[in-house]
Amino acid sequence: MNQEILPASSSMKEFESFLESAYTIGIFLDIHVAQLKNVAKMAKAHDKRIIFHVDLINGLRNDEYAVEYLFQEFRPYGIISTKASVIKKAKSKGMIAIQRIFLIDSHALEKSYRLIEKTKPDYIEVLPGAMPWMIAEVKERTNIPVLAGGLIRTAEEVKSALDAGAAAITTSETELWYSLS
């Protein structure tokens, strides 16, 4: 990925803003299965690449069958998930696979490291991303590019995450989509 900001849309209004932006790659969060066809069609018409957060598609189970369906019907650029089977299936289909992990405590982090060893995602999305020291640790420990998301609210926090080694910031804060412009 060659973008420092990955706009994340959780509504059609935000998605339309993304379509009008200069960004090529965007994420769609919290979508209903009935909207997938329209979103994919609109993205293609605007020459945009979409990453779907499989765990947040309402009406579609977040499993390897969902990935197969998404791949066959919509050919997304990539997917995000917390589930190992989803990540593995996406990789087998040639999609960008982003493993989402939550930085809750040391035990959860160690469990995430073990999962990442098995799935070998293309990227790891860490939430919350407003902890630069954790971005650096995850990147160093896994040797996998890190995306920072969640609780990044200012341009300074964007810069801190990028300076700590994040490959990009995932954010639904539309004002941050333009913080580096």
Side-chain angles (χ1 to χ4, degrees):
M1 273 185 261
N2 199 16
Q3 270 178 217
E4 290 186 326
I5 299 287
L6 293 171
S9 306
S10 56
S11 71
M12 286 306 289
K13 183 178 178 182
E14 288 174 354
F15 181 65
E16 289 166 0
S17 292
F18 160 67
L19 292 177
E20 299 303 320
S21 75
Y23 293 108
T24 305
I25 304 166
I27 299 168
F28 211 114
L29 310 167
D30 200 22
I31 188 172
H32 189 278
V33 68
Q35 294 175 296
L36 289 170
K37 185 175 184 178
N38 190 40
V39 165
K41 183 178 175 183
M42 292 170 71
K44 186 175 183 177
H46 286 83
D47 201 26
K48 304 287 186 178
R49 291 186 244 160
I50 295 295
I51 298 169
F52 287 117
H53 192 311
V54 177
D55 303 354
L56 300 178
I57 300 175
N58 298 302
L60 190 65
R61 188 171 176 182
N62 60 337
D63 61 14
E64 59 273 15
Y65 300 108
V67 175
E68 184 71 41
Y69 169 73
L70 291 169
F71 177 76
Q72 287 182 17
E73 293 295 320
F74 310 111
R75 305 268 188 208
Y77 180 64
I79 61 91
I80 298 174
S81 182
T82 58
K83 295 185 76 174
S85 62
V86 171
I87 297 300
K88 287 180 178 181
K89 186 65 164 184
K91 286 185 65 77
S92 77
K93 293 295 182 183
M95 291 184 279
I96 297 292
I98 303 168
Q99 179 83 52
R100 179 179 262 194
I101 66 171
F102 296 97
L103 303 175
I104 299 168
D105 58 26
S106 297
H107 177 73
L109 181 60
E110 288 304 317
K111 187 175 177 181
S112 292
Y113 285 143
R114 288 190 300 274
L115 180 68
I116 288 163
E117 284 177 27
K118 292 177 186 173
T119 61
K120 300 191 182 344
D122 299 302
Y123 293 87
I124 300 165
E125 183 186 33
V126 298
L127 280 89
M131 296 188 292
W133 63 94
M134 289 306 304
I135 293 166
E137 177 185 315
V138 171
K139 182 180 176 188
E140 182 179 322
R141 175 115 178 233
T142 64
N143 203 26
I144 295 172
V146 173
L147 307 176
L151 299 178
I152 296 176
R153 297 179 176 153
T154 67
E156 293 77 27
E157 290 170 337
V158 169
K159 185 176 180 335
S160 292
L162 293 171
D163 288 347
I169 307 304
T170 61
T171 182
S172 59
E173 299 285 339
T174 54
E175 59 274 4
L176 291 181
W177 295 3
Y178 308 101
S179 65
L180 299 175
S181 305

